[in-house]
Amino acid sequence: MKVAWAGSREAFQVSDRMAKLVANDPVFEKFSKPMLGRKELFKNTLRKAAYAWKLINDLRLTEEEAKWLRHYIDEPNYTDLHWEMFVPAIEGQGTKEQKKKWLPLAQTMQIIGTYAQTELGHGSNVQGLETTATFDRQTDEFVMHSPTLTSSKWWPGGMAKVATHAIVYARLIIDGLFHGVHGFIVQLRSLEDHSPLPGLTLGDIGMKFGHGTYNTMDNGVLRFDHVRIPRNQMLMRVSQVTKEGKYAQSDVPRQLLYGTMVSVRQTIVADASKALSRAVCIATRYSVVRRQFGSRNGGPETQVIDYKTQQSRLFPLLASAYAFRFVGEWLKSLYIDVKQRLEANDFSTLPETHACTAGLKALTTAATADGIEECRKLCGGHGYLISSGLPELFAFYVPACSYEGENVVMMLQVARFLVKTVSNLGYKQPVGTAAYLGRVTPLLQNNCAVQTAEDWLNPDAILEAFEARAARMVIGCGERLAMFENPEEGFAELSIDLVEASLAHCQLITVSVFIQKLNHEIPGNGVKRSLEVLCYVYALFLLHKHQGDFLATGYLTPKQASLANEQLRTLYSKVRPNAIAFVDSFNHMDHYLCSVLGRYDGNVYPKLYEAAWKDPLNDSDIVDGIQQYVQPILKQKLHYAKL
Ligand SMILES: CCCCCCCCCCCCCCCCCCCCC/C=C/C(=O)SCCNC(=O)CCNC(=O)[C@H](O)C(C)(C)COP(=O)(O)OP(=O)(O)OC[C@H]1O[C@@H](n2cnc3c(N)ncnc32)[C@H](O)[C@@H]1OP(=O)(O)O
Ligand SMILES: Cc1cc2nc3c(=O)[nH]c(=O)nc-3n(C[C@H](O)[C@H](O)[C@H](O)COP(=O)(O)OP(=O)(O)OC[C@H]3O[C@@H](n4cnc5c(N)ncnc54)[C@H](O)[C@@H]3O)c2cc1C
């Protein structure tokens, strides 16, 4: 199962080796992090990032190994933006000459970059950005300027204190004419003494949710006061500006300007299963250790994992972790394919890839953030302790619902793709993830054939149910949209239904990828049979949760929906004996989990007790402030005795 989770034996070996390397190195200790003040926390992260870079070079780690190393170090920092956004932005949007100049500097970290798109006034609406890049023909330069307070760049990670360069998105202006938003490479700091260059105001935007997690990152604010950069620092793969000030567009689509976001959204989907599996591992192990009620004749109480209600909250999350792992893997291969096509100027699959990355980013991050919080509750009161590992994990993870495309905004992008696909049905056969919309007649006409709970243990029955639900919701929206004279007005009016239809479409993708995985790629019958159980749990849980959709579209009868739920409960009993094996297969080491409740050895209570004594408040019996503020209250003579 470990191999099935990792994707291959080689992938398992690489991640396992890096996990051990980090866990065994005292530099990467992290239990004390929540006790540090912001400055110490930040410096501590800089120290770890520098040490990690040294290890990467000294040990000559491969790119894959370096990624796992950063993952297990487990602290967001400036290198995330450098490797995941700055470098890919140059790769995807730079010309050959620009790549030749900038990539070697970035890849050896002689410069450190960030991605400065969002502003105080606009994040989702990229076309609404206000920073300007005005071409000056006399000097062959762009003048970067922040004309308003709301045009201040706001959020870019690593920008406040570390980055020496940024890809800055700004409105291109030539001779007073606006030519859309483009990316520019801008140097922020001196490579000698690290001070901000003249004309730039740079700072940190302040503390974020959760203490010890995202505050390791220096998210920044940046303002320009007429800062000049050479013309050849505009990223020019999509559009070019000549020295005469002529604006030209290549025959590559403008959407490539948004390419870096597609790349990172794919990574975020691939990473969702890491965060969810981490929370599920903690909650499952603790649910086996924790006992409440049910003692008979002085025997042990019931392990809380044996309560049906606990199982009904935990096992769908376990199944979701596996579903997200597989859909992340699938999306990665889709992305690698589109990247190769884009390099060869084939843009045909870009719209579908954009819809998949946007929609699956929204689906997986929302479910993962909610899932981590549910795992915290599954651990009862102890889940609220930092030493459970869950509050910090939640604080770290939850902004994924907002960054890289706010989730509702992303689902509306999926809706645009679906509406377009439906309106083209007469003359263009949909392919890939939308192929089912080409079979609308049977999907609209045929209803579910399930008669017994056992009938639900059939991948074809499940797939057809999810296809019919999504198709009916999408087509229904399409029909209602057609009644509006102004399509944009109609889209806005129906946006709530469109988001629900998009979610149905994305859930269909995750369910069908899980089924596909089982049909083709699982080594060993035992592993395959166990994963089949999780696949059914995932699908039937979604069906139960969204049964309103399945019933309202008329595909299921109430009887069939309740048979699905009956089957789901039976499946929970099949998951129970393997629950620990399923979470051990994630191969999460204690160092990575950083959780007293999720310890591999189950030795929870002594370690919980021990961890409490490490709190700085327990350094002495009488702490600072007691004599000054508590004793006077105790010793005062009250006028009003009853108060
Ligand atoms: C316990 C403690 C735990 C701690 C753990 C620590 C672990 C650390 C581990 C470290 C490991 C490293 C891994 C890290 C990986 C991830 C790093 C993430 C860091 C996160 C930092 C965040 C960065 C950011 O947020 S950057 C800013 C992102 N901003 C956005 O996403 C903005 C969203 N807005 C948009 O995308 C657009 O503006 C949009 C799409 C909403 C609308 O655009 P528009 O210009 O108005 O266009 P529109 O008219 O709607 O569309 C035109 C047309 O184009 C199509 N389109 C739109 N976008 C794209 C695209 N990207 N690609 C292709 N096509 C696109 C659109 O559909 C339209 O098509 P048509 O309808 O056919 O015309
Ligand atoms: C931790 C973190 C790190 C970040 N790092 C970076 C970075 O490195 N670089 C960078 O450039 N940016 C970064 N960002 C910014 C991030 O990309 C934006 O915050 C994100 O894109 C959301 O945009 P917004 O803040 O403008 O939200 P808004 O769009 O203002 O969202 C507010 C609300 O309005 C709704 N809404 C907005 N538009 C619509 C619409 N058309 N229809 C319906 N509802 C709508 C949303 O659903 C949401 O509920 C980061 C953000 C965070 C939290």
Side-chain angles (χ1 to χ4, degrees):
M1 190 64 86
K2 283 187 177 182
V3 171
W5 173 265
S8 69
R9 195 164 288 279
E10 295 70 39
F12 169 76
Q13 283 163 349
V14 172
S15 72
D16 186 57
R17 206 167 46 244
M18 291 302 114
K20 287 178 178 149
L21 183 70
V22 172
N24 294 328
D25 195 323
V27 172
F28 298 126
E29 182 280 325
K30 56 185 183 176
F31 243 104
S32 54
K33 240 176 28 170
M35 315 295 179
L36 302 179
R38 175 86 200 275
K39 282 186 175 172
E40 277 175 289
L41 188 66
F42 184 62
K43 187 172 173 190
N44 191 37
T45 298
L46 295 184
R47 182 175 62 98
K48 289 185 189 178
Y51 182 68
W53 181 238
K54 183 170 157 29
L55 281 183
I56 289 168
N57 288 294
D58 289 355
L59 303 178
R60 295 177 185 275
L61 299 186
T62 62
E63 203 178 314
E64 189 66 7
E65 287 170 328
K67 273 198 174 171
W68 279 112
L69 183 86
R70 285 174 45 227
H71 167 73
Y72 284 120
I73 293 171
D74 197 28
E75 284 188 19
N77 68 63
Y78 66 89
T79 61
D80 301 344
L81 268 292
H82 178 78
W83 294 113
E84 307 299 331
M85 300 207 74
F86 181 72
V87 172
I90 298 172
E91 282 171 346
Q93 293 160 52
T95 59
K96 264 193 195 138
E97 297 71 37
Q98 289 175 319
K99 289 192 236 186
K100 198 167 159 211
K101 172 173 178 188
W102 294 99
L103 286 178
L105 294 171
Q107 278 154 352
T108 51
M109 291 201 95
Q110 290 171 70
I111 60 173
I112 297 172
T114 184
Y115 186 87
Q117 184 174 292
T118 306
E119 297 175 354
L120 197 53
H122 295 94
S124 298
N125 180 6
V126 178
Q127 294 304 320
L129 297 178
E130 297 174 82
T131 303
T132 51
T134 307
F135 185 59
D136 180 347
R137 203 176 275 107
Q138 311 303 321
T139 58
D140 201 23
E141 289 170 322
F142 291 107
V143 182
M144 310 295 296
H145 189 57
S146 311
T148 57
L149 179 73
T150 46
S151 69
S152 309
K153 291 292 170 191
W154 190 269
W155 272 118
M159 189 171 76
K161 300 293 162 189
V162 183
T164 62
H165 288 70
I167 306 292
V168 173
Y169 285 82
R171 302 165 79 85
L172 169 64
I173 295 170
I174 307 173
D175 296 331
L177 278 181
F178 169 48
H179 291 279
V181 168
H182 292 268
F184 300 82
I185 304 177
V186 181
Q187 182 167 353
L188 304 178
R189 293 187 163 85
S190 151
L191 293 174
E192 296 302 315
D193 64 3
H194 216 71
S195 58
L197 293 189
L200 297 177
T201 305
L202 276 161
D204 189 277
I205 62 168
M207 293 282 275
K208 289 141 291 189
F209 184 43
H211 175 68
T213 49
Y214 229 99
N215 291 306
T216 56
M217 180 76 92
D218 53 323
N219 293 92
V221 43
L222 162 65
R223 287 183 63 75
F224 295 100
D225 182 5
H226 301 96
V227 171
R228 290 176 170 270
I229 59 166
R231 177 175 54 86
N232 65 9
Q233 285 181 208
M234 171 175 142
L235 290 174
M236 292 214 204
R237 179 171 178 207
V238 176
S239 319
Q240 302 82 37
V241 176
T242 65
K243 65 176 184 307
E244 294 77 27
K246 260 188 75 183
Y247 178 76
Q249 261 185 298
S250 315
D251 40 9
V252 305
R254 244 194 81 74
Q255 280 87 340
L256 271 202
L257 283 171
Y258 296 155
T260 313
M261 294 186 273
V262 175
S263 144
V264 182
R265 285 172 196 151
Q266 171 265 311
T267 310
I268 290 172
V269 176
D271 282 353
S273 63
K274 293 179 184 157
L276 184 57
S277 63
R278 186 168 171 171
V280 166
C281 181
I282 295 169
T284 305
R285 287 183 180 165
Y286 178 68
S287 294
V288 169
V289 171
R290 186 68 166 176
R291 292 172 181 272
Q292 293 283 345
F293 302 103
S295 163
R296 294 221 179 102
N297 306 323
E301 293 173 274
T302 303
Q303 290 167 284
V304 296
I305 200 168
D306 286 326
Y307 289 112
K308 294 286 171 204
T309 47
Q310 188 87 351
Q311 294 179 0
S312 72
R313 294 158 67 203
L314 183 58
F315 293 164
L317 296 176
L318 172 66
S320 303
Y322 276 89
F324 296 171
R325 171 75 194 110
F326 300 144
V327 84
E329 217 175 34
W330 169 83
L331 191 64
K332 190 172 176 182
S333 57
L334 185 78
Y335 177 72
I336 290 171
D337 177 69
V338 83
K339 207 172 155 195
Q340 283 161 355
R341 286 170 187 264
L342 294 179
E343 273 155 21
N345 283 357
D346 167 5
F347 308 105
S348 57
T349 56
L350 185 60
E352 191 203 352
T353 309
H354 165 52
C356 287
T357 48
L360 291 172
K361 181 269 175 191
L363 180 153
T364 55
T365 56
T368 297
D370 291 351
I372 295 169
E373 169 60 2
E374 187 64 17
C375 286
R376 186 189 67 73
K377 292 186 219 156
L378 282 161
C379 295
H382 295 332
Y384 190 62
L385 283 169
I386 293 282
S387 60
S388 75
L390 292 167
E392 293 277 287
L393 182 59
F394 180 71
F396 155 73
Y397 195 78
V398 75
C401 298
S402 310
Y403 63 53
E404 275 311 327
E406 200 281 329
N407 280 354
V408 169
V409 174
M410 292 298 95
M411 279 303 185
L412 288 169
Q413 286 291 305
V414 180
R416 281 197 185 279
F417 167 76
L418 293 174
V419 165
K420 211 170 188 174
T421 305
V422 167
S423 64
N424 290 344
L425 275 182
Y427 49 93
K428 197 170 166 196
Q429 190 62 14
V431 294
T433 49
Y436 71 101
L437 290 171
R439 287 181 273 111
V440 279
T441 314
L443 288 174
L444 297 190
Q445 282 171 0
N446 302 347
N447 287 342
C448 178
V450 161
Q451 289 182 335
T452 66
E454 279 292 303
D455 289 348
W456 277 116
L457 298 182
N458 173 356
D460 292 338
I462 286 183
L463 259 188
E464 191 181 279
F466 277 83
E467 285 184 348
R469 167 216 185 196
R472 290 173 189 212
M473 290 172 79
V474 173
I475 299 288
C477 285
E479 284 169 357
R480 280 189 290 151
L481 263 179
M483 293 175 196
F484 285 83
E485 261 178 40
N486 178 337
E488 281 305 314
E489 230 170 67
F491 193 88
E493 200 54 43
L494 296 182
S495 56
I496 302 172
D497 300 321
L498 285 163
V499 166
E500 287 173 3
S502 301
L503 179 64
H505 170 77
C506 293
Q507 287 178 346
L508 165 63
I509 298 176
T510 51
V511 168
S512 63
V513 167
F514 206 150
I515 291 174
Q516 213 174 295
K517 175 87 188 171
L518 287 172
N519 285 343
H520 301 294
E521 296 172 42
I522 302 294
N525 276 340
V527 171
K528 187 171 170 165
R529 271 198 306 275
S530 308
L531 277 179
E532 253 163 23
V533 173
L534 286 190
C535 180
Y536 288 131
V537 167
Y538 180 65
L540 295 181
F541 163 73
L542 287 182
L543 195 151
H544 179 58
K545 186 171 170 196
H546 297 276
Q547 61 178 312
D549 289 352
F550 288 90
L551 294 172
T553 53
Y555 180 74
L556 288 191
T557 62
K559 170 81 183 152
Q560 289 165 326
S562 82
L563 287 172
N565 199 24
E566 188 186 318
Q567 183 54 250
L568 180 60
R569 286 158 197 225
T570 310
L571 287 164
Y572 291 150
S573 321
K574 295 188 185 162
V575 175
R576 170 63 183 99
N578 284 328
I580 290 295
F582 277 129
V583 301
D584 284 353
S585 301
F586 301 146
N587 201 39
H588 294 330
M589 299 186 70
D590 282 344
H591 175 274
Y592 175 62
L593 291 179
C594 201
S595 166
V596 172
L597 304 188
R599 293 173 60 86
Y600 181 71
D601 64 6
N603 192 22
V604 169
Y605 295 124
K607 294 292 174 184
L608 199 53
Y609 193 79
E610 200 179 299
W613 291 104
K614 291 187 182 143
D615 192 279
L617 273 191
N618 288 332
D619 286 350
S620 62
D621 282 335
I622 299 168
V623 293
D624 253 11
I626 296 291
Q627 278 173 348
Q628 194 178 356
Y629 298 116
V630 179
Q631 289 208 316
I633 296 177
L634 292 170
K635 288 177 182 164
Q636 72 192 311
K637 300 263 183 286
L638 286 178
H639 296 296
Y640 303 103
K642 278 193 178 161
L643 279 180

